[in-house]
Amino acid sequence: MSTPVWITATPPATHGELHVGHLAGPYVAADVLARFLRAEGEPVRFTTGTADHASSVHVRALRAGRKPEEVAEGYRAAITSDWLRSGVEFDHIVRPRQDKGYRGRLTELFRQLYADGVIAARTRLTPYCEPCGRWLHGAHVTGTCPHCAAACEGGMCHECARPNDGGDLLEPRCALCGSPALARRCRRLYVPLEPYREALAEYWAGTGLPPRLAALCESLVEDGLPDIAVSHPAEWGLPVPVDGFPEHRIDGCFEAAAMHLFGHGDRPLPERAVHFCGFGHAFCHAVLLPVLLFAQGLKLPQHFCVNEAYVIDDEALVWGSGQKAWALDLITEYGSDTLRRHVLQARPLGRRTAFHADRLAAARRELDESWNNWLARLFAAVREECAGRAPEALPGGSGWEVLERRLLRGLEDLREAYSPDAFDPRRAVALLDEMVRSAADFGHVNAHEAHRPTAAGRHLPVLAAQLAVARALGAWARPVMPEGADRLAAALKTEPGGPVSAAALVPPAPGTRLAPPSGPVFGF
């Protein structure tokens, strides 16, 4: 068997719950691709982790008067629960504070890179808060990005995705007390990227980066690749395993990149990997992770699915800010089918998109008025005309040949929309909606066949045709709405899932007693 396609999604920091923006960004989309490839019989390894040692976790703990490990554990449990309830199924979620061998593998990698000269000491100006008596890094310091003038934290600007060294932030302030930060000399450990200029340029040229990410990488090369701090004097995080830095902790971005390697395990690197991330986190995936691999003599072909920010009320959704668009609340109110199809339709691809509650409600109406209405009428007709059993007839009816050709043409487009090379889940949702509407129209047009006194049994092929479409949707829609697709398969007494192929377009075996659910098939 070939090595699995490796699909990764950015490890979220455990300082807050998931909001709808995270689902609209990497997680649901990555799950759609993983489900499609698995259904095709292609081996997949789908991984992520939780960034428990992020500086934002420590800031959240200090503000709440709690221990950072308590904050990390509580939100990690909430995040993994939200993934499960939204139907996002990972093969492995790295738990930095629980997974056996994680700390040893990470510290050994750090120690080896230091011994090989990949990591080196530098003394630079670093923000310091006198009232708090604390060096400021990451979420501990806020200021203005020196590259794009957006408000940002230390380490990385989530607007332009370029790194900063903390000391080059404009008007830096302590995130806790708000005091202006002082610039003091601090000796830290860095990964100088300039020695990897040619290797990175060659790697990026062969990767096929999305345009905005390509522009970022080219500008980094043109301006001179920076040195990236990978240690900070701090109280939270994994200790630096290098002599001379007793109070330092490993940087969160470095850990997030190394976490991907731990999540993949000791397996051979795959022939290809697909990384899902927001643009603000792209530096870690597209720059730092390749350098860690280069330093070990490894190279990994990658494809990037990068999303922009998802906004609400004209403001970017900020994790832990109190925004009222939490994934848990929306899943509880709308269910995973409705929420998944909505975030795929609204996915911020190439541009920011905005969350509107009325559009989420419209997604539920589409399922109720189109999908569920058609299926309810179909199941009712089978119950009334065939005693609840699949009819003894081949698919047919007025316009069936046209509908079948239309469905098969749509299937080709659907497979393309699901595929890694042309991945477009928004297009997949639109195609599925069109298929359902076409099947519903076919059912309405042919409903009168049952009332023709001279044509006994002419309505049975019509029911068989619609049952064939329903069975196909159980497979074709499963990457997008797995909960409803599995409910539909159970109603038709067929195996759930299966390839997104023409082979699914057949009705259940004649005589099969159907078991439609008491409520809606998709959503609730």
Side-chain angles (χ1 to χ4, degrees), residues 235-254:
E235 306 159 50
W236 177 243
L238 293 178
V240 167
V242 171
D243 292 339
F245 298 87
E247 305 298 325
H248 282 233
R249 301 292 185 269
I250 295 175
D251 175 74
C253 184
F254 177 94

Side-chain angles (χ1 to χ4, degrees), residues 74-117:
Y75 284 119
R76 185 190 64 78
I79 289 168
T80 53
S81 176
D82 289 345
W83 279 331
L84 183 64
R85 294 187 63 184
S86 60
V88 178
E89 294 184 351
F90 292 100
D91 293 303
H92 184 56
I93 300 171
V94 178
R95 301 171 302 165
R97 300 182 58 79
Q98 288 83 26
D99 281 10
K100 184 178 179 181
Y102 174 81
R103 178 168 176 166
R105 288 279 295 275
L106 186 68
T107 54
E108 178 57 31
L109 173 62
F110 196 99
R111 188 181 291 113
Q112 185 61 50
L113 293 176
Y114 179 77
D116 293 343

Side-chain angles (χ1 to χ4, degrees), residues 27 50 87 98 134 145 188 203 226 247 276 290 320 333 340 374 389 392 394 431-432 451 466 493 509:
Y27 302 118
T50 53
Q98 288 83 26
R134 178 178 289 112
C145 175
R188 291 183 288 169
Y203 169 75
E247 305 298 325
F276 284 79
E333 182 176 356
R340 283 173 68 103
W374 166 60
R389 297 180 181 274
E392 297 271 357
L394 295 174
L431 288 165
L432 291 168
H451 307 296
Q466 292 179 83
K493 298 292 186 64

